[in-house]
Amino acid sequence: MKFLNFVIKYRLLLGAIFVVLGIIVNIEAGFWPSFILYLIALVLIVGHFLFGPMRLIQGHMENGDMAGAQKVIDSIWFPRLLIKPVRSVYFTLKGNLAMANQDYDSAEVNMKKSLSLGSPMKEAEGANKLQLGMLAMQKGNIKEAENYIRQAIRSGLPDKENAAAAYLQLSSIMINKREFRAAKEYFRKVKALKPTTPQIIDQVKQMEKYITRMPG
């Protein structure tokens, strides 16, 4: 695993080294002995531009190292050269980093770019739409928020924590619309999922104070 991460991190540099070695062997022994070196260089360089260092970014984010993830993102000079599914992941991760930095406008732009490219996994598409729904909530655009969150649920979400967050937001929206029966139904779905994220648990406790007093 560490070797693979090393290759991904230094793929372009390694490609350049193999090109130089290929040229030296070509001069000393001819083209065919150097062919394998040229081929390895080609695979490394093309791989760098078509696939990028996505694995390294995800590793940093899973470890909570946002600064490291941002550094890797910034090292991608030509995102347009990334193949479509990888480019979609690139914009998703860039959007997540912008969210972590509270740069909500940039987060929204990047999430929408990711959705426009299509996601290699339905769950990732659902997570993107959920993020856009939450961004719309922060901007006070309730109608757009509800639309995105419903789309997120239909697309599928990666885990119960995301599903709980989606239903919690829908419950809040229904309260805002004074559709109390629907609000209570979505709140029951949240509790049935038994989320463990501290932030969601806190929101559930806060909302529970109001839900029990509602008619319907």
Side-chain angles (χ1 to χ4, degrees):
M1 195 70 70
K2 288 183 179 180
F3 175 75
L4 179 59
N5 287 344
F6 175 83
V7 171
I8 292 171
K9 185 175 182 178
Y10 297 107
R11 195 158 36 192
L12 188 61
L13 176 61
L14 291 170
I17 291 170
F18 274 99
V19 167
V20 172
L21 290 174
I23 292 171
I24 293 170
V25 173
N26 196 353
I27 292 170
E28 295 295 326
F31 174 75
W32 288 112
S34 65
F35 174 75
I36 187 65
L37 297 173
Y38 286 135
L39 182 61
I40 293 171
L42 179 65
V43 169
L44 289 168
I45 293 169
V46 170
H48 173 80
F49 288 107
L50 294 187
F51 299 102
M54 293 302 116
R55 182 187 180 92
L56 300 179
I57 299 169
Q58 289 174 315
H60 283 300
M61 294 191 75
E62 287 168 4
N63 294 328
D65 181 9
M66 296 302 173
Q70 187 66 58
K71 188 176 180 181
V72 178
I73 278 281
D74 293 340
S75 73
I76 300 174
W77 303 331
F78 307 107
R80 288 182 178 274
L81 295 179
L82 297 169
I83 62 173
K84 195 173 180 180
V86 175
R87 207 180 330 143
S88 176
V89 174
Y90 164 81
F91 284 119
T92 295
L93 294 173
K94 196 168 183 182
N96 287 336
L97 287 170
M99 282 280 286
N101 293 325
Q102 298 184 337
D103 184 357
Y104 300 125
D105 290 335
S106 178
E108 184 177 7
V109 167
N110 284 295
M111 290 293 182
K112 286 181 176 179
K113 282 182 180 179
S114 176
L115 283 177
S116 71
L117 291 165
S119 174
M121 294 186 298
K122 277 290 180 184
E123 291 84 357
E125 182 181 330
N128 276 1
K129 289 176 178 176
L130 177 58
Q131 293 270 38
L132 285 168
M134 290 182 171
L135 284 168
M137 283 283 285
Q138 288 181 341
K139 291 182 176 182
N141 192 334
I142 304 301
K143 186 177 180 180
E144 184 177 302
E146 182 180 354
N147 182 41
Y148 272 125
I149 292 169
R150 289 189 184 281
Q151 286 184 45
I153 292 169
R154 285 196 295 270
S155 297
L157 291 161
D159 53 47
K160 69 175 186 178
E161 301 300 320
N162 278 274
Y167 286 123
L168 193 62
Q169 292 300 321
L170 278 180
S171 182
S172 178
I173 289 169
M174 292 303 109
I175 292 171
N176 187 67
K177 294 169 70 174
R178 301 189 67 79
E179 296 181 16
F180 300 127
R181 185 173 295 178
K184 287 184 175 182
E185 180 59 32
Y186 287 127
F187 189 71
R188 278 193 288 269
K189 289 184 177 183
V190 174
K191 296 198 75 174
L193 287 164
K194 298 179 180 177
T196 57
T197 303
Q199 185 179 3
I200 295 177
I201 292 171
D202 185 57
Q203 288 175 355
V204 167
K205 288 178 180 177
Q206 293 299 319
M207 191 175 286
E208 199 159 24
K209 298 174 184 177
Y210 302 101
I211 286 282
T212 54
R213 301 174 192 169
M214 289 178 188

